[in-house]
Amino acid sequence: MAADAIDGDTYLTPEQVRELKASLARVRAQNPSLGLHITYSWDTDLDRYYSACPPARACQCEVPYNRLDVHTGGGVAVCVSGKTVGHAGAERIADVWRGAQLRRYRRMYEASRPMPMCFRCCGLSATVTFDR
């Protein structure tokens, strides 16, 4: 398995989100004296980021069904889990797409509840922005 399943509807509890927000506020406040460049999406709505999916939208990730990532070393991975399902230098992408490793990954995804990286993607859908 790529990661543990989430117990319940959210990855972090509301109390844990409050603690995270307080910690990030301390980092941001202390940073000017340290002079570090921190690349972080400070505008991310952490309450929404770590909340359950809205009832109008199912928490179903489409990435394992419509995308493969080819890394510089040739490894072919499925989604942000980084699970390698093939190698571009040794096999055709079409064969990886139809291959046994990706079928097993999809079955694992379908059989389990959302894993942490899946939940975060679902919670962030259409809300991610990055500092320029």
Side-chain angles (χ1 to χ4, degrees):
M1 182 180 270
D4 296 324
I6 295 169
D7 295 327
D9 294 331
T10 59
Y11 187 59
L12 295 180
T13 66
E15 175 60 31
Q16 290 170 320
V17 172
R18 281 191 294 278
E19 290 173 14
L20 175 61
K21 289 164 70 173
S23 177
L24 287 170
R26 287 191 302 273
V27 167
R28 194 169 192 187
Q30 293 173 5
N31 187 53
S33 66
L34 299 173
L36 300 174
H37 174 75
I38 298 175
T39 302
Y40 179 76
S41 182
W42 296 104
D43 296 327
T44 298
D45 182 347
L46 294 175
D47 293 304
R48 183 174 177 192
Y49 184 98
Y50 288 109
S51 67
C53 288
R57 205 175 102 232
C59 277
Q60 174 67 34
C61 181
E62 297 176 6
V63 173
Y65 308 97
N66 66 18
R67 182 178 112 187
L68 287 174
D69 296 331
V70 180
H71 297 276
T72 56
V76 180
V78 60
C79 77
V80 297
S81 72
K83 171 66 177 163
T84 301
V85 293
H87 195 276
E91 52 199 315
R92 296 176 349 139
I93 299 297
D95 294 337
V96 173
W97 184 253
R98 293 184 205 101
Q101 286 191 48
L102 188 52
R103 276 196 309 275
R104 282 192 299 273
Y105 184 88
R106 288 172 179 153
R107 277 196 308 268
M108 177 196 66
Y109 173 77
E110 291 161 2
S112 65
R113 294 188 309 224
M115 296 172 282
M117 70 273 188
C118 301
F119 196 87
R120 290 177 52 174
C121 289
C122 180
L124 274 177
S125 181
T127 67
V128 178
T129 58
F130 295 95
D131 290 347
R132 286 183 167 67

